[in-house]
Amino acid sequence: MCAKVVEILSSEDLRRTLTRLASQIVERTRDLSQLVLMGIYTRGVPIAESLARQIEILEGVTVPVGALDITFYRDDLDKIGLRTPAKTDIPFDLTGKTVVLVDDVIFKGRTIRAALNAVTEYGRPEIIRLAVLVDRGHRELPIQADFVGKQLPTAKEEVVKVYLQDLDGRDAVELIGD
């Protein structure tokens, strides 16, 4: 049986969604000089970089971007299998900052819980917010995104796949199911 693939966001839709997310982050951030974006590997990092570029276009402010690997903070390694950790790269002090964690898809909330644990080992931010490209529901933990590109109700067995030009050679979001 063949899986059914539905395009949720085209390349142009994705561009507009990132522009809207960047605008929302700017609107909700009191002091842009204290804003930092932390992309969660893998796809959260290029999304955070895109958001930072868009904020610079909108506001003329350069926003620092870090990359966060949460492998050793996960509570489900037995279910997701072995992974080779990426390099966490936080080239700035988090203390007193407005940190926006950035990820591609929020599902059960476990990745974000792990990211919150990881961030607190690198400093004490003033506030931590969450930006996601797609919120598909089905939370197992009480975690909610502050900035959401697309609310996408899904069945648990469906898969949301984000494709990014830098990693995949194209920009799109697809829903894959039976």
Side-chain angles (χ1 to χ4, degrees):
M1 181 171 206
C2 234
K4 180 180 175 188
V5 178
V6 177
E7 184 177 73
I8 301 302
L9 295 175
S10 68
S11 177
E12 185 60 24
D13 294 334
L14 188 57
R15 184 194 61 75
R16 280 194 298 270
T17 300
L18 291 172
T19 299
R20 183 171 39 80
L21 282 171
S23 295
Q24 290 173 356
I25 291 168
V26 166
E27 289 171 8
R28 295 240 347 246
T29 303
R30 223 180 41 239
D31 182 359
L32 290 177
S33 70
Q34 295 301 306
L35 176 64
V36 297
L37 302 177
M38 294 289 301
I40 300 170
Y41 279 111
T42 298
R43 284 170 173 69
V45 175
I47 293 170
E49 291 166 348
S50 293
L51 291 171
R53 283 191 300 273
Q54 189 60 40
I55 291 169
E56 187 164 8
I57 289 167
L58 292 170
E59 298 295 316
V61 175
T62 301
V63 177
V65 177
L68 190 63
D69 179 77
I70 52 115
T71 300
F72 296 120
Y73 298 89
R74 296 190 68 103
D75 65 358
D76 59 355
L77 284 174
D78 59 326
K79 292 181 178 142
I80 64 169
L82 291 176
R83 291 186 174 185
T84 302
K87 184 180 184 313
T88 291
D89 179 24
I90 305 175
F92 41 78
D93 184 12
L94 296 179
T95 303
K97 300 289 188 192
T98 296
V99 173
V100 177
L101 290 172
V102 180
D103 205 4
D104 58 346
V105 178
I106 186 168
F107 183 29
K108 296 176 180 179
R110 296 193 176 279
T111 296
I112 304 310
R113 187 218 36 91
L116 290 167
N117 288 347
V119 163
T120 59
E121 289 201 11
Y122 292 96
R124 190 175 189 286
E126 176 74 23
I127 190 167
I128 301 173
R129 293 202 168 112
L130 175 60
V132 297
L133 187 59
V134 177
D135 182 344
R136 61 173 293 191
H138 303 286
R139 242 33 117 249
E140 293 177 355
L141 300 170
I143 292 174
Q144 207 58 25
D146 299 284
F147 311 104
V148 178
K150 177 83 173 164
Q151 292 278 352
L152 183 64
T154 63
K156 277 191 173 184
E157 62 276 359
E158 291 176 313
V159 174
V160 175
K161 181 74 176 147
V162 175
Y163 298 95
L164 299 173
Q165 185 67 42
D166 294 349
L167 298 173
D168 309 301
R170 68 185 179 115
D171 287 330
V173 176
E174 295 177 345
L175 179 63
I176 303 165
D178 294 331

